[in-house]
Amino acid sequence: MEQPDECFDPLQFAVDLNLSDIKNVNLDENVFISKGLINQANGSSSIESKSLITQANGSSFIELSATKVTCAIYGPRETSSTSDESYSKCLLETSIKFSPFARQHRIDPLSVQYDNDEDCEESELCSRLEEALLPCILLHKYPKSQIDIIIDVIEDDGQHLLSAIILSATVALIDACIELYDTVVAKSLKTNDSLFTLCYMPNLAQVSCIFFDGEATPNYLDELTDEAVKQCQLLHKAICKVVISDLKSAAALNRKIV
Amino acid sequence: MSIDNYEELQKFIDLNEHYRTYLDEHNNTRPDGRKFHENRSIQILKKFLQHSYGSSMIRFGNTTVICSITGQLAKPSLKSLRSGFIQTVVLLPRTQAWSTYGRRQQIINENLTLSQHLLDIIYKSKLINLEDLCIEEGKWVWCLQIDFQCLNNDGNLFDSCLLALNVALHHTYFPTVKIDPDTQKPLVYTKELKHFQYNQQQEPLCCTIAVYEYEQEYKYLIDPTLEEENIAKCILHYVLLKNDQICLIHKTSGAPFSIDKFHQCYSFAREYILELRRNLNQ
């Protein structure tokens, strides 16, 4: 049971890869939001809860075209930090990890990353997620505690990653019954080589933050902003539908037990 | 995991007591409504991922496991020039955010025992022949990476991982690789995919039995949930091949077991795995 000394990615030697092919943009993007995976068992005698991650306070699973992300929220729970910040409001700890099969090239889960590594996409995504969520959580209601947001990226198609992460965190926060000012809905638009992500709070009609990688004129950015806000409102309706139907089924289940 | 009603409060305070009082009131049923020999509902999803050569997702009740099979190219070791390599990694869900242990900045949640068990089963049952992974003798071989990502652990990871492995292997397609005779470098044709050849006759499947002591006798709970695994006196894993031969028996310590108890558990395991195979071949 030996292990090889060195492994080579077969894509390095690929002969028939078309990198210059522009992938057809799938305009008909599928969006799938759920707090648990749909249980299709008929006539089972066991009572199964519908949440995806049973040990967490709140969890969710989001699928945006090919990007799949799960989120688990643990909290609010006692914080081990003794900093001054934690006495007046809640600390937010985020952690994002890619599955080994999330991308074309396999990411070795056992390789250790050290502090002074500059190229750390995961920590960059973590800080973006915090920026997007901090305006919407009522942190002053949970002093001396922390909320852990654990995100697992199952699959990444390059475009929707940040918006899927923010959406899954929002739905999981709602599932965990943590008080929010408003839901944060995020939408990513990709044009040529630039990626534009907008985080929007629909009820307050405020933009929580904008992330942009690439080149654009200010007018073009305005257009992108308008387009993204419109699509965010559609996504917001989808989230509301999921939350309300989940609440109805939970109420029905409780009625059955009582 | 919130404490909403009386039942969950009782479970939180003393799990063992909760089970004992439940078994006192109801005979032959477990708190989640199943009989002792009944398994949870199984959901199988094939070809789940787009970047892997083969993938599957299995749900045993609340336990969710994703299996992904990819391959990388490597040079064979000098001891055996024709055999490839296999690596299995089982990752458990994290319950904590990053914390810094000195210079290391993450929590690697690998279940080493389960990873090693799965590797042992693959080798011993000859499920995948290492010679099949050879591209050119002495020069290039495949290194098979089998990754299991557990999204939710509600007990019985062994069964679900093994079942996920079987389903994923059934639908794995590898790109063809030819060796360029001039440069001795491999040429990978990603568009020409061929079905992965493995030993389909051996279908190792596992049955996990949790032994619970109630009123001086042993109750055998098949397909235990996480709570049942925690209160069990000991846990047994039986891995059987398609012809009902035993591939692996693993028993944790705690409950003294005589030979006839092993035979009894073997018959339970056989029925359970027959049911699993029917599910798998649908």
Side-chain angles (χ1 to χ4, degrees), chain A residues 3 8 16 95 104 106 155, chain B residues 50-51 73 87 94 147:
Chain A
Q3 299 307 321
F8 300 97
D16 51 6
S95 145
Q104 197 87 327
R106 180 178 181 263
E155 214 181 334
Chain B
Q50 57 171 344
H51 294 307
L73 299 170
Q87 284 179 330
R94 295 165 289 144
D147 296 305

Side-chain angles (χ1 to χ4, degrees), chain B residues 10-247:
Chain B
Q10 212 183 12
K11 269 198 228 173
F12 187 70
I13 295 174
D14 190 349
L15 197 52
N16 224 333
E17 195 57 47
H18 170 80
Y19 260 75
R20 215 169 300 137
T21 48
Y22 194 91
L23 284 177
D24 280 337
E25 292 165 25
H26 309 79
N27 231 349
N28 273 338
T29 35
R30 308 194 249 184
D32 58 2
R34 297 186 278 157
K35 301 253 184 319
F36 290 151
H37 303 328
E38 214 176 304
N39 57 349
R40 296 176 277 188
S41 59
I42 303 172
Q43 283 176 289
I44 302 179
L45 211 69
K46 306 175 202 168
K47 288 206 193 159
F48 187 57
L49 304 164
Q50 57 171 344
H51 294 307
S52 324
Y53 298 162
S55 59
S56 67
M57 179 160 91
I58 303 281
R59 284 200 97 196
F60 266 68
N62 280 333
T63 304
T64 317
V65 169
I66 296 180
C67 171
S68 143
I69 300 182
T70 40
Q72 289 182 322
L73 299 170
K75 296 215 193 283
S77 76
L78 292 171
K79 281 190 237 169
S80 43
L81 295 169
R82 281 192 68 85
S83 30
F85 305 98
I86 304 180
Q87 284 179 330
T88 50
V89 179
V90 177
L91 295 167
L92 295 176
R94 295 165 289 144
T95 53
Q96 248 182 302
W98 280 172
S99 55
T100 336
Y101 297 119
R103 289 176 69 216
R104 276 180 65 178
Q105 205 185 12
Q106 57 197 301
I107 299 171
I108 301 175
N109 230 344
E110 188 200 358
N111 189 340
L112 284 163
T113 45
L114 192 50
S115 316
Q116 191 56 38
H117 274 314
L118 291 168
L119 198 58
D120 281 338
I121 291 174
I122 295 176
Y123 277 120
K124 293 288 152 66
S125 70
K126 297 202 179 27
L127 182 63
I128 300 174
N129 218 341
L130 289 181
E131 320 263 296
D132 285 338
L133 298 173
C134 174
I135 300 169
E136 180 162 323
E137 179 170 346
K139 304 273 174 54
W140 292 101
V141 292
W142 279 111
C143 172
L144 210 59
Q145 315 267 14
I146 307 181
D147 296 305
F148 295 91
Q149 174 98 8
C150 170
L151 292 183
N152 187 26
N153 183 7
D154 196 21
N156 209 359
L157 272 184
F158 208 134
D159 285 14
S160 22
C161 285
L162 208 45
L163 188 61
L165 177 62
N166 276 306
V167 176
L169 275 178
H170 203 59
H171 300 278
T172 307
Y173 293 93
F174 267 69
T176 30
V177 181
K178 303 198 180 95
I179 307 289
D180 192 355
D182 305 320
T183 60
Q184 295 302 317
K185 281 218 159 26
L187 302 169
V188 175
Y189 297 92
T190 51
K191 299 283 183 339
E192 298 168 30
L193 302 167
K194 60 176 186 209
H195 203 190
F196 181 55
Q197 300 298 328
Y198 72 103
N199 213 341
Q200 273 183 326
Q201 275 70 45
Q202 319 275 60
E203 235 177 25
L205 287 175
C206 175
C207 170
T208 307
I209 305 176
V211 177
Y212 181 61
E213 187 171 11
Y214 176 67
E215 284 179 357
Q216 312 302 324
E217 66 172 45
Y218 288 159
K219 300 281 182 203
Y220 301 105
L221 311 173
I222 298 193
D223 193 9
T225 61
L226 193 63
E227 299 165 345
E228 290 166 3
E229 279 185 358
N230 285 336
I231 57 159
K233 211 146 195 260
C234 84
I235 300 180
L236 271 163
H237 298 292
Y238 270 85
V239 177
L240 301 181
L241 303 175
K242 208 158 189 173
N243 48 9
D244 280 345
Q245 279 197 328
I246 299 177
C247 178

Side-chain angles (χ1 to χ4, degrees), chain A residues 125-140:
Chain A
L125 285 170
C126 281
S127 60
R128 288 186 178 185
L129 176 64
E130 271 184 47
E131 263 185 59
L133 285 183
L134 279 173
C136 87
I137 307 180
L138 270 81
L139 295 171
H140 57 271

Side-chain angles (χ1 to χ4, degrees), chain A residues 37-217:
Chain A
L37 298 175
I38 299 175
N39 215 340
Q40 284 165 344
N42 292 325
S44 70
S45 54
S46 51
I47 308 165
E48 283 161 7
S49 68
K50 287 188 86 193
S51 56
L52 176 61
I53 300 175
T54 45
Q55 290 197 330
N57 292 80
S59 61
S60 70
F61 174 79
I62 302 275
E63 194 175 324
L64 285 176
S65 52
T67 307
K68 301 178 181 64
V69 168
T70 67
C71 175
I73 305 254
Y74 293 89
R77 58 181 184 184
E78 203 178 307
T79 183
S80 51
S81 147
T82 47
S83 66
D84 286 330
E85 263 183 41
S86 67
Y87 281 123
S88 53
K89 58 181 180 150
C90 185
L91 292 177
L92 205 66
E93 301 274 334
T94 49
S95 145
I96 298 180
K97 202 142 211 281
F98 285 89
S99 308
F101 39 82
R103 295 206 160 136
Q104 197 87 327
H105 302 266
R106 180 178 181 263
I107 303 162
D108 189 6
L110 305 176
S111 68
V112 184
Q113 280 169 333
Y114 291 99
D115 264 349
N116 39 14
D117 258 2
E118 286 131 2
D119 175 34
C120 205
E121 191 177 351
E122 291 168 358
S123 55
E124 189 191 332
L125 285 170
C126 281
S127 60
R128 288 186 178 185
L129 176 64
E130 271 184 47
E131 263 185 59
L133 285 183
L134 279 173
C136 87
I137 307 180
L138 270 81
L139 295 171
H140 57 271
K141 285 236 172 174
Y142 306 104
K144 297 189 214 165
S145 32
Q146 74 180 45
I147 297 177
D148 280 340
I149 303 182
I150 313 263
I151 296 198
D152 261 312
V153 180
I154 298 176
E155 214 181 334
D156 171 24
D157 70 350
Q159 183 186 350
H160 296 284
L161 186 59
L162 188 53
S163 66
I165 287 175
I166 296 175
L167 274 173
S168 68
T170 309
V171 179
L173 280 170
I174 298 174
D175 192 29
C177 304
I178 291 177
E179 304 197 37
L180 305 173
Y181 283 116
D182 193 0
T183 58
V184 179
V185 185
K187 179 73 198 166
S188 293
L189 296 167
K190 186 169 184 152
T191 46
N192 307 331
D193 277 327
S194 32
L195 191 61
F196 175 81
T197 309
L198 177 115
C199 309
Y200 183 63
M201 297 200 275
N203 288 326
L204 298 175
Q206 288 177 358
V207 172
S208 128
C209 54
I210 296 183
F211 302 109
F212 181 67
D213 281 316
E215 278 181 25
T217 59

